[in-house]
Amino acid sequence: MLRRNIRLRREYLYRKSLEGKERLLYEKKRKIREALEEGKPIPTELRNEEAALRKEIDLEDDQTAVPRSHIDDEYAYASEKDPKILLTTSRNPSAPLTQFVKELKIVFPNAQRMNRGGQVISEIIETCRSHDFTDVIWCTSIVVTRHDIKDKKSMGTMSEAYPHLILDNFSTKLGERTANILKHLFPVPKPDSKRIITFANQSDYISFRHHVYEKPGGPKSIELKEVGPRFELRLYQIKLGTVDQNEAQNEWVIRPYMNTAKKRKVLGD
């Protein structure tokens, strides 16, 4: 397993090192495309490379014309394989937190729950790698569980159908990246699924809400019913690697005092 991790790390660094060269090549081809489309002369600095570059352009399509970032690789096979999520907690979880994790097991399709016990983070990550988990979720915060919602009598059994997603107000580049991470925690739902999960960003706090809908008065009448749980999220860190890799680069990390002088929203408007 250690050799495999070293190999994967080397491949990651190699792809990352190529990104600048690939982008430079893309810019050269872009200039040639523009010159050909507009009937202008090929830029002088590219004339020696024109033949080779035009040959590559002829072989490209819509999927290969734009260089991919190494960041995109984590979801390269998302359309072929559903996510598989491990749920765990901090050590010595409270009774409400334990109940919350049980509810999350139903919220996220294909999720499995594991008692943390005395395991350290690196041991949990190795377990995930050896069992082909795609994501790990640690639960540590206070939440409103299904049993705390006032209208719990009318909820019935929680649906386990794959849910439709609503991602609201993730308009910045970082917001789009965050929405992409959240989206890939769920498999693709069937069109007739009546389950809806919402992630709504407001002032960089992400509210999670869970509803099912009914049509009591026909197709034009829709009634939403909250089924819980309900909780808030805040983006803390995006790491280009797993949480146990201290050497992995931080793509983004929160700095508690960076907005002291002026309130600045990073995920959306």
Side-chain angles (χ1 to χ4, degrees):
M1 184 62 68
L2 181 59
R3 289 181 179 177
R4 177 176 178 270
N5 291 343
I6 293 173
R7 176 178 59 79
L8 292 175
R9 179 65 181 166
R10 284 175 178 169
E11 290 176 358
Y12 160 75
L13 292 173
Y14 177 69
R15 291 197 307 271
K16 186 179 176 184
S17 70
L18 287 180
E19 200 163 66
K21 298 176 184 177
E22 290 176 350
R23 187 156 299 278
L24 179 61
L25 179 61
Y26 169 74
E27 288 300 320
K28 290 179 178 180
K29 289 190 285 188
R30 183 183 63 80
K31 290 178 181 179
I32 288 179
R33 282 195 198 94
E34 288 182 355
L36 294 173
E37 289 171 1
E38 298 173 7
K40 295 180 179 179
I42 300 297
T44 305
E45 69 274 13
L46 298 178
R47 288 178 183 172
N48 292 336
E49 303 176 73
E50 179 187 356
L53 291 172
R54 288 186 67 166
K55 189 174 182 179
E56 289 190 26
I57 291 171
D58 291 339
L59 296 173
E60 291 177 344
D61 55 25
D62 293 339
Q63 299 298 320
T64 58
V66 178
R68 293 181 58 184
S69 166
H70 63 280
I71 294 172
D72 299 328
D73 287 353
E74 60 194 309
Y75 303 121
Y77 301 103
S79 61
E80 302 172 13
K81 184 178 179 182
D82 286 342
K84 183 180 177 183
I85 298 171
L86 180 72
L87 298 168
T88 189
T89 66
S90 54
R91 291 194 180 95
N92 302 316
S94 63
L97 184 58
T98 301
Q99 177 61 36
F100 173 57
V101 175
K102 291 179 180 179
E103 294 184 5
L104 281 188
K105 186 178 182 297
I106 304 176
V107 167
F108 294 100
N110 305 323
Q112 296 182 27
R113 181 170 59 92
M114 184 184 75
N115 293 328
R116 172 76 179 271
Q119 292 191 82
V120 297
I121 289 176
S122 59
E123 292 173 336
I124 294 173
I125 296 299
E126 286 303 320
T127 299
C128 291
R129 287 196 181 103
S130 62
H131 291 83
D132 293 327
F133 283 92
T134 59
D135 301 270
V136 186
I137 296 179
W138 267 275
C139 304
T140 60
S141 301
I142 299 173
V143 300
V144 178
T145 66
R146 279 168 48 81
H147 299 281
D148 295 326
I149 294 176
K150 293 181 181 179
D151 195 25
K152 63 182 179 182
K153 291 183 180 179
S154 63
M155 288 182 187
T157 304
M158 186 191 290
S159 170
E160 295 188 45
Y162 292 175
H164 296 287
L165 299 182
I166 297 175
L167 297 158
D168 181 58
N169 195 29
F170 293 88
S171 55
T172 66
K173 187 174 181 180
L174 179 61
E176 291 175 354
R177 172 78 165 121
T178 304
N180 197 43
I181 293 170
L182 295 172
K183 176 180 71 176
H184 283 94
L185 292 173
F186 298 87
V188 178
K190 293 182 178 179
D192 60 351
S193 174
K194 295 183 178 180
R195 186 178 172 203
I196 302 171
I197 284 178
T198 302
F199 292 95
N201 170 52
Q202 182 65 38
S203 298
D204 295 337
Y205 284 89
I206 303 170
S207 298
F208 174 95
R209 298 295 184 267
H210 185 195
H211 295 83
V212 293
Y213 73 87
E214 298 176 351
K215 298 180 178 180
K220 294 185 178 180
S221 173
I222 295 178
E223 180 180 312
L224 280 178
K225 184 181 296 182
E226 186 177 5
V227 294
R230 180 195 307 164
F231 55 91
E232 307 296 315
L233 300 166
R234 192 177 188 191
L235 184 64
Y236 167 71
Q237 182 184 59
I238 299 178
K239 196 170 188 175
L240 299 180
T242 53
V243 69
D244 63 320
Q245 294 176 332
N246 294 327
E247 74 280 6
Q249 179 184 349
N250 286 329
E251 182 183 339
W252 185 87
V253 63
I254 191 171
R255 292 179 175 83
Y257 305 107
M258 68 181 180
N259 295 333
T260 302
K262 182 180 179 181
K263 179 64 178 176
R264 182 163 58 93
K265 299 174 184 177
V266 298
L267 296 180
D269 298 333

